[in-house]
Amino acid sequence: MIFDVQKIREILPHRYPLLLVDRVTTITPNTNIEGYKNITINEDVFNGHFPIQPIYPGVYIIEGMAQTGGVLAFVSMFGEEAYNNGDKIVYFMSIDKAKFRNPVIPGDKLVYKLEVLKQKGGIWVLQGYAYVDNKLVAEAELKAMVVDNAEKKAQK
């Protein structure tokens, strides 16, 4: 199962410049997911981080992992044809054991690999890894929950 950016946009509420996953290449509901983001010099973040020696921020790497994990959670909970019309939203609960091993720079293909450590109801605990050229650049344990979007609920 491969999801292109259009399908990812149907599932996640994120939009440019904070949609940080371009494609999902592998997904096994309730188990694991793999996706990637192509890092280009055109990313807005490089205007300030850092103009002379651009380095993709670690917080963006973690957010990209989380977004990829969000796709896994939605597909696992709502099926292969998951579509989020804004009724649900994913919130971070914790980020633990984050480690950054190598910088990510323009031209890199940042691959996210996440596996489910625990899941109960709408709460997900995922182990996330980020790679460039099969070399580990970052890792973290992420905990998030899928909840009703209160704003959307109030509009109904």
Side-chain angles (χ1 to χ4, degrees), residues 115-130:
E115 55 193 49
V116 176
L117 297 177
K118 190 188 316 185
Q119 187 268 326
K120 185 173 182 180
I123 299 191
W124 294 80
V125 180
L126 305 168
Q127 178 62 51
Y129 300 97

Side-chain angles (χ1 to χ4, degrees), residues 37-130:
K37 173 162 182 46
N38 290 310
I39 308 300
T40 73
I41 192 61
N42 297 321
E43 309 283 339
D44 280 345
V45 71
F46 293 135
N47 289 323
H49 199 270
F50 302 100
I52 307 249
Q53 185 176 351
I55 297 173
Y56 197 64
V59 68
Y60 278 40
I61 296 170
I62 298 293
E63 176 64 23
M65 280 185 210
Q67 290 178 18
T68 305
V71 172
L72 176 60
F74 272 101
V75 171
S76 297
M77 293 175 74
F78 307 112
E80 201 172 299
E81 295 301 315
Y83 175 83
N84 184 9
N85 62 6
D87 290 339
K88 301 284 183 190
I89 193 160
V90 180
Y91 288 129
F92 261 134
M93 295 174 70
S94 66
I95 304 164
D96 294 314
K97 304 174 188 166
K99 294 182 179 151
F100 302 97
R101 304 192 180 281
N102 288 295
V104 176
I105 60 173
D108 285 344
K109 180 178 181 178
L110 184 60
V111 177
Y112 305 116
K113 296 182 181 185
L114 291 97
E115 55 193 49
V116 176
L117 297 177
K118 190 188 316 185
Q119 187 268 326
K120 185 173 182 180
I123 299 191
W124 294 80
V125 180
L126 305 168
Q127 178 62 51
Y129 300 97

Side-chain angles (χ1 to χ4, degrees), residues 25-41:
T25 55
T26 308
I27 185 169
T28 304
N30 300 302
T31 305
N32 59 39
I33 188 168
E34 184 174 320
Y36 67 83
K37 173 162 182 46
N38 290 310
I39 308 300
T40 73
I41 192 61

